[in-house]
Amino acid sequence: MTFRAIHGWENGGFEPDDLQHVDYTLSNVSDFKRAAQDFEHASKHNRPAGTA
């Protein structure tokens, strides 16, 4: 399964190309937890998710 996390978009835009997102492949609960940790880290460091 792929989890697409949308974390931003162009102001007023809603076309798929305007959406900023990160795709995570989820095979088990550990994969989901990793995705959640990625977003937590991004939030704490004021960075987009998916960028270390």
Side-chain angles (χ1 to χ4, degrees), residues 1-19:
M1 171 182 352
T2 300
F3 168 58
R4 175 164 284 173
I6 299 171
H7 58 84
W9 56 90
E10 292 290 327
N11 197 11
F14 55 86
E15 294 297 322
D17 289 343
D18 294 337
L19 301 176

Side-chain angles (χ1 to χ4, degrees), residues 32-51:
F32 179 79
K33 288 180 181 179
R34 228 178 336 268
Q37 288 173 344
D38 182 31
F39 271 82
E40 182 179 1
H41 182 267
S43 175
K44 286 182 180 178
H45 297 281
N46 199 28
R47 295 182 151 194
T51 60

